[in-house]
């Protein structure tokens, strides 16, 4: 596989706090976006340089509970507890492009790639990988597992005008995506298998997993965490 960073995922308890966090840090507020009825979430988005974008996502308080667990671990206790501390960079998504086909890839490697779910929002159509329990993806090997937002969700857009190219690009450039994890070696195995090992710098840590993005802004370099 050959993958590209598609977008960064900022999880928030609500869209207002997530938008305020990004505007305060990067100097530009996410806007637009919409609802994901299948997942009971909604978002706001912000175009960046290089064909990528940033997404603030939160549970939609006006939407009925979905029939399945929400994506990005938003229904899980540890995620909800973390969100009480404020919005944070929780995850990232890597884009699969033709001639590769994400659905076929998952069918060929079901033990490595989570189920593929078709999604729509307005004119947008895409497919992405979501574990059945809604958790963030993890790499498993010899009875061990590691993910914690550092292993990307895989996404394939089924429209030409996907957000990375249709959103107005703001003067924001991703300089480096970095992940710190106590099982960095295991994660590196998964990223290498996916073809995503050059997209994120992994560091070994004895502390909690952490994802950070160094971003060039008109006010200088800022760290999104």
């Amino acid at each position: 596989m050959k993958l590209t960073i598609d977008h960064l995922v900022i999880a928030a308890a609500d869209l207002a706090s997530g938008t305020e966090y990004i505007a305060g840090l990067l100097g530009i507020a996410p806007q637009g976006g919409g609802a994901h009825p299948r997942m009971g979430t909604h978002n706001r988005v912000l175009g960046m340089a290089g064909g990528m974008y940033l997404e603030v996502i939160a549970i939609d308080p006006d939407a009925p509970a979905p029939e399945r667990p929400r994506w990005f671990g938003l229904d899980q206790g540890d995620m909800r507890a973390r969100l009480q501390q404020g919005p944070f960079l929780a995850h990232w998504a890597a884009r699969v492009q033709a001639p590769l086909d994400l659905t076929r890839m998952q069918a060929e490697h079901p033990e490595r790639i989570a189920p593929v779910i078709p999604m729509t929002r307005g004119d947008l159509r895409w497919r992405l990988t979501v574990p059945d329990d809604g958790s963030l993806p993890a790499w498993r090997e010899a009875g061990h597992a590691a993910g914690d937002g550092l292993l990307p969700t895989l996404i394939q857009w089924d429209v030409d005008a996907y957000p990375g190219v249709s959103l107005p690009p703001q003067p924001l450039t991703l300089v480096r995506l970095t992940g710190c994890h106590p099982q960095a070696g295991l994660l590196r195995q998964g990223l290498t298998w996916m073809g995503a090992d050059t997209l994120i710098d992994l560091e070994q840590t004895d502390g909690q997993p952490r994802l950070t993005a160094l971003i060039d802004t008109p006010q200088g370099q800022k760290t999104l965490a």
Side-chain angles (χ1 to χ4, degrees), residues 26-68:
L26 303 182
I28 307 172
Q31 299 178 356
H36 314 108
R38 184 170 185 177
M39 290 292 174
T41 59
H42 56 175
N43 71 353
R44 289 180 184 162
V45 291
L46 182 62
M48 299 175 62
M52 66 183 67
Y53 69 102
L54 179 153
E55 172 189 39
V56 174
I57 193 163
I59 292 176
D60 186 348
D62 297 324
E67 296 179 355
R68 54 154 296 139

Side-chain angles (χ1 to χ4, degrees), residues 16-211:
S17 64
T19 299
E20 181 180 3
Y21 170 58
I22 296 302
L25 181 67
L26 303 182
I28 307 172
Q31 299 178 356
H36 314 108
R38 184 170 185 177
M39 290 292 174
T41 59
H42 56 175
N43 71 353
R44 289 180 184 162
V45 291
L46 182 62
M48 299 175 62
M52 66 183 67
Y53 69 102
L54 179 153
E55 172 189 39
V56 174
I57 193 163
I59 292 176
D60 186 348
D62 297 324
E67 296 179 355
R68 54 154 296 139
R70 294 178 178 90
W71 48 16
F72 306 137
L74 290 173
D75 284 325
Q76 298 179 349
D78 55 349
M79 174 65 81
R80 295 204 175 191
R82 174 62 182 82
L83 290 177
Q84 294 308 306
Q85 303 173 35
F88 72 108
L89 178 59
H91 193 37
W92 62 293
R95 186 167 65 250
V96 174
Q97 293 179 290
L100 295 175
D101 183 88
L102 180 56
T103 303
R104 183 168 63 245
M105 289 160 48
Q106 194 279 331
E108 293 173 350
H109 304 282
E111 76 288 355
R112 295 299 194 193
I113 302 175
V116 176
I117 294 179
M119 295 290 297
T120 62
R121 180 170 64 78
D123 294 332
L124 295 174
R125 292 182 292 107
W126 71 98
R127 290 166 283 150
L128 81 169
T129 54
V130 184
D132 290 333
D133 63 359
S135 61
L136 292 167
W139 186 257
R140 293 175 170 79
E141 195 74 53
H144 299 279
D148 302 288
L150 278 64
L151 193 75
T153 286
L154 301 182
I155 185 170
Q156 184 158 40
W157 293 95
D158 294 317
V159 294
D160 293 331
Y162 58 88
V165 297
S166 64
L167 288 171
Q170 303 297 329
L172 303 170
T173 302
L174 177 65
V175 177
R176 183 169 61 254
L177 187 64
T178 303
C180 298
H181 199 281
Q183 298 186 73
L186 180 58
L187 276 173
R188 194 171 289 111
Q189 290 180 30
L191 289 163
T192 300
W193 184 88
M194 288 180 168
D197 51 309
T198 62
L199 303 181
I200 180 172
D201 294 333
L202 280 184
E203 300 176 0
Q204 182 73 26
T205 180
D206 293 330
Q208 293 296 315
R210 181 178 172 87
L211 182 65

